[in-house]
Amino acid sequence: MKKYMRTCSPRLAKEKYCTGCMACSDACTHDAIKIVEKNCMPFVKVDTHKCMNCHLCEKACPIITPVKKNRAEEMNVYGGWANDEQTRIDAASGGGFSGLAQSFFHLHKEDKVAVIGATLANNRVYHQLIEQEKDIVLLTNSKYIQSDTQGIYKEVIERLKTGYWILFSGCPCQIAGLYGFLGKKRDSERLITIEVVCHGIASYEALDLHLKYYNSSRIYRFRDKRHGTQDWKQSQCTTIEQNGEEIKLKRKDDMFYAIYAGWMLDRKSCSNCQFAEINRVADITIADFWGLQVPDYYKQGVSLIIANNNKADTMIKAADAIYTFKESLRTAINGNPHLFTGYKLIQFHPIVMWPDFFRKILPKRIRFKILTNRMPYKLFWALYKLGTIYLVKYQKKQLISKFQKDDNLLKLLNNANRGGGKMA
């Protein structure tokens, strides 16, 4: 199946597959790639009057020119959390990213260092570069809407040219976009990449509808362990402004999570993800370690941390700001199906297939109830949800069957040395 659309000049990914990584935009040296908005999401369009047919955008696009992925055989699976308690409380789960970022600054304290990740500002998410350890807090905690990466890949290559050590974090498609943009320069020993296990990226309409529902002007956090509870499993609710105060909503009342969990405002590529597979894109994969049985003490949060190659494993073992322990891949995939699949049947829901049409004909109140899975509309949505659950179980069974035919992969699947932890 073709995953691109034909123009007069270069090939670009079709809307169904375009991730909005913006690597093509950064790669274009003729200002011929324009950012356009469709359904409150960024896409790209070629200005054929400016295009010089250099095809740099095609080479950068990880859909048109697939990037090399890591091999599952080289994986090392860990659980862990940041050593510093406040860092862990500020994080969505165990503070895996924060602990690794702190360690990265420590490991290269005599060098120039830049850490790049997503930050929340003015109800939008952007990729930002920081050069001081104290600024890591700007990049912590989960963000569930599309991050604007325009220009960030150019910053990476400029920093690499001037001798920086760089830690770059993002969704798997954004890591793939970075690699596509860098080409052979992706193999620099001074670049480490971290990807999050991605459930899907909602359009900013999801957040805007949420804020409008509560007559709020601002979201402070998508997940929050600072107020009342530090149990990471109870942290999935937004903290917003209401009447000039900072209010943490209850999960059952949270309209953003109702929309987000319904998938209907995700990018179409999130139901056809090319990067949610066991052979991961980035050097390091992180996530909430769902499905892990842990004592009450650890309920502040546990991060899943996977070293996908030797470079990553060396860094994790040298990290001084994070506690880690060995775990099995089986435990990881049991609680995190997006480690091995990104396919969702919600892509065939009428509102997803013809969003503009239904936005025009449906009363806003009815559309909002559908998007937030209110009855009786939830019954119709459940068909797509249940079908996806069944498909995930089948794909997991197929994956495990494949691993059981290879002794090395079978060992990775089952081995967990819980006594192998380390603490700085």
Side-chain angles (χ1 to χ4, degrees):
M1 182 183 297
K2 291 185 177 180
K3 301 175 182 177
Y4 58 85
M5 57 184 179
R6 175 68 68 182
T7 68
C8 304
S9 26
R11 298 181 302 169
L12 292 177
K14 285 183 177 180
E15 184 176 314
K16 180 178 179 180
Y17 298 100
C18 175
T19 66
C21 74
M22 299 303 155
C24 60
S25 177
D26 270 21
C28 182
T29 58
H30 304 288
D31 192 31
I33 304 288
K34 304 299 181 185
I35 309 302
V36 296
E37 182 182 306
K38 294 182 182 179
N39 302 312
C40 301
M41 300 178 215
F43 288 88
V44 295
K45 182 178 181 181
V46 177
D47 184 337
T48 55
H49 298 292
K50 292 184 177 181
C51 180
M52 301 300 291
N53 272 313
C54 67
H55 299 287
L56 290 176
C57 56
E58 288 184 9
K59 294 177 182 177
C61 175
I63 302 299
I64 300 302
T65 308
V67 298
K68 180 180 68 175
K69 297 178 182 179
N70 296 286
R71 297 171 65 247
E73 290 87 341
E74 296 183 11
M75 273 184 171
N76 281 289
V77 180
Y78 300 92
W81 51 81
N83 291 334
D84 179 70
E85 184 177 1
Q86 188 58 51
T87 296
R88 198 168 167 197
I89 291 172
D90 286 338
S93 55
F97 166 74
S98 301
L100 290 170
Q102 290 167 355
S103 301
F104 194 72
F105 275 106
H106 302 167
L107 288 168
H108 305 292
K109 59 185 176 182
E110 303 300 327
D111 303 299
K112 294 181 289 186
V113 176
V115 173
I116 299 169
T119 190
L120 175 65
N122 300 318
N123 301 330
R124 293 293 181 261
V125 179
Y126 307 87
H127 259 61
Q128 179 175 338
L129 182 148
I130 63 169
E131 296 187 45
Q132 297 184 57
E133 185 179 346
K134 67 180 180 63
D135 291 330
I136 291 173
V137 67
L138 298 174
L139 312 180
T140 59
N141 210 276
S142 298
K143 293 94 179 176
Y144 294 107
I145 59 175
Q146 181 95 52
S147 174
D148 184 353
T149 53
Q150 273 188 277
I152 201 65
Y153 307 125
K154 292 179 181 178
E155 287 203 52
V156 171
I157 202 165
E158 289 303 316
R159 292 300 196 285
L160 286 174
K161 286 178 181 177
T162 54
Y164 273 75
W165 287 81
I166 295 177
L167 184 69
F168 187 103
S169 66
C171 296
C173 56
Q174 292 168 334
I175 304 300
L178 172 66
Y179 285 162
F181 176 83
L182 292 177
K184 293 181 180 179
K185 295 183 179 66
R186 66 167 281 182
D187 296 323
S188 170
E189 66 172 355
R190 290 181 283 107
L191 173 66
I192 298 284
T193 57
I194 298 178
E195 65 184 8
V196 296
V197 175
C198 185
H199 175 280
I201 294 297
S203 75
Y204 60 73
E205 183 187 12
L207 177 57
D208 290 347
L209 287 171
H210 173 64
L211 295 177
K212 184 178 180 181
Y213 181 85
Y214 286 103
N215 194 28
S216 172
S217 63
R218 180 182 178 187
I219 181 170
Y220 293 96
R221 289 190 169 212
F222 285 96
R223 292 173 67 174
D224 202 339
K225 292 187 290 183
R226 300 172 303 160
H227 304 292
T229 179
Q230 293 177 2
D231 188 339
W232 62 310
K233 296 183 180 180
Q234 304 301 319
S235 70
Q236 287 187 311
C237 44
T238 59
T239 301
I240 61 174
E241 175 277 330
Q242 259 191 338
N243 300 319
E245 296 183 14
E246 191 173 321
I247 302 295
K248 179 180 177 180
L249 298 172
K250 295 180 180 179
R251 176 61 187 260
K252 66 181 180 65
D253 300 324
D254 200 305
M255 292 298 107
F256 176 81
Y257 275 98
I259 296 171
Y260 179 70
W263 303 331
M264 282 184 277
L265 290 185
D266 285 3
R267 292 188 73 95
K268 291 184 179 180
S269 62
C270 295
S271 290
N272 297 280
C273 184
Q274 309 295 295
F275 309 105
E277 62 173 55
I278 203 65
N279 294 318
R280 304 302 300 180
V281 178
D283 297 314
I284 299 172
T285 300
I286 61 173
D288 300 289
F289 210 146
W290 302 121
L292 185 68
Q293 298 299 314
V294 294
D296 288 347
Y297 170 76
Y298 304 131
K299 286 188 176 180
Q300 288 181 28
V302 183
S303 295
L304 169 64
I305 305 168
I306 301 177
N308 293 310
N309 52 48
N310 291 332
K311 179 171 71 170
D313 201 46
T314 298
M315 179 195 163
I316 292 171
K317 287 177 178 176
D320 62 356
I322 191 166
Y323 172 81
T324 58
F325 56 92
K326 289 284 286 184
E327 254 300 340
S328 70
L329 181 60
R330 185 186 294 271
T331 306
I333 65 176
N334 279 342
N336 296 271
H338 293 287
L339 266 175
F340 60 89
T341 180
Y343 194 84
K344 302 187 191 80
L345 296 178
I346 198 67
Q347 63 184 295
F348 302 114
H349 191 289
I351 280 187
V352 177
M353 295 183 71
W354 303 290
D356 285 336
F357 174 74
F358 284 102
R359 188 179 281 109
K360 291 176 182 177
I361 69 165
L362 286 176
K364 291 182 179 180
R365 180 178 60 86
I366 298 298
R367 182 172 178 268
F368 185 75
K369 285 187 176 182
I370 294 173
L371 294 176
T372 53
N373 276 309
R374 296 300 184 254
M375 297 293 282
Y377 312 104
K378 186 168 186 168
L379 295 175
F380 182 50
W381 171 84
L383 297 174
Y384 301 93
K385 176 70 172 181
L386 293 172
T388 300
I389 290 173
Y390 177 81
L391 183 61
V392 167
K393 288 182 177 180
Y394 173 77
Q395 290 172 322
K396 177 183 167 183
K397 183 178 179 181
Q398 293 294 104
L399 177 67
I400 290 176
S401 176
K402 175 183 176 182
F403 273 40
Q404 287 174 337
K405 294 176 182 178
D406 186 304
D407 289 340
N408 292 326
L409 288 172
L410 183 61
K411 183 178 179 181
L412 170 67
L413 188 69
N414 295 321
N415 278 3
N417 176 19
R418 289 182 175 81
K422 66 160 184 63
M423 186 178 291

